[in-house]
Amino acid sequence: MSWSEVTVVVVLVVALGLWWAWVAASRLDRLHRKVAASRAVVEAQLLRRATVAAGLATSGQLDPVSSVLVAEAAWASLSTGTSTNDAGALPPGMRELLSEEAASSSGDPDARGRVESELSATLREALGDPDDVAALRADPDGDELLGSLGSAWYRVQLARRFHNEAVAQTLRARRGPLVRLFRLAGHAPAPRTLELDDEWPAALGRPGARASEGRVGGPTGPGVAGPSTAV
């Protein structure tokens, strides 16, 4: 093989290597953008759920103790998110129900999951009695609030599932040996899944349930899809 042929082969190999590196880096960039976009969707749906929960707490539909507990958990959710700490999103009268401890936010990256899990647990406790939920649904305002809460909660479950799948896909791509060898991920931090308790309140029924449909049993869990009309 002549020197000219060797040169051509080397140039081709280098060109292929550069092309592969460009394709891999572009794919990683798209995956990171997908993670960022999906996280923004999750944050928006968490804000929506917390806002509806705050409205339920200040509606007078719950007993006084449950109203205060739900209000504090909802405010903690609203004040913890990096883009959801605008107090203007709160319903009228919300501030009067909150303690200063609930309004304080934390820089801990796991704080979001803990706060949202606390809101889920508080709502499950407040809506744990099927008779109380049926009484709420008998009132048009209460029925509308529960319908909005169910829709928001269902969207949270879907958005978080899609986000975690995007994170897992990105982490698999980053773990590739050549990707790590050539540091194609650059200085982008490794994404993290959002782990939180979003178990559905059994007494709430499926998304979109209304008083006219009667009491609907059976929870819609994080991995169980509800009817498409609720999304």
Side-chain angles (χ1 to χ4, degrees), residues 85-231:
N85 54 5
D86 184 5
L90 294 173
M94 181 70 175
R95 287 180 176 274
E96 288 75 9
L97 294 175
L98 303 175
S99 63
E100 293 181 0
E101 290 80 8
S104 60
S105 59
S106 170
D108 187 345
D110 296 323
R112 188 62 163 162
R114 289 197 301 268
V115 167
E116 295 301 332
S117 296
E118 181 65 25
L119 177 58
S120 296
T122 303
L123 286 170
R124 281 199 305 269
E125 181 67 22
L127 302 175
D129 189 337
D131 293 331
D132 291 343
V133 173
L136 282 172
R137 290 202 181 278
D139 182 271
D141 293 335
D143 186 41
E144 182 179 359
L145 284 169
L146 291 183
S148 298
L149 180 63
S151 175
W153 204 317
Y154 179 59
R155 289 170 181 262
V156 166
Q157 292 177 340
L158 288 182
R160 190 175 75 90
R161 183 172 63 190
F162 293 151
H163 170 70
N164 287 349
E165 289 175 353
V167 170
Q169 185 180 11
T170 303
L171 291 177
R172 284 195 299 269
R174 289 173 63 108
R175 284 195 293 264
L178 294 179
V179 171
R180 289 184 296 173
L181 176 64
F182 294 105
R183 302 179 62 85
L184 295 181
H187 298 288
R192 298 179 58 180
T193 58
L194 178 60
E195 302 302 329
L196 59 90
D197 173 15
D198 58 3
E199 181 182 351
W200 193 268
L204 187 59
R206 64 181 177 81
R210 287 293 186 268
S212 59
E213 298 176 356
R215 188 180 306 167
V216 183
T220 302
V224 180
S228 59
T229 55
V231 181

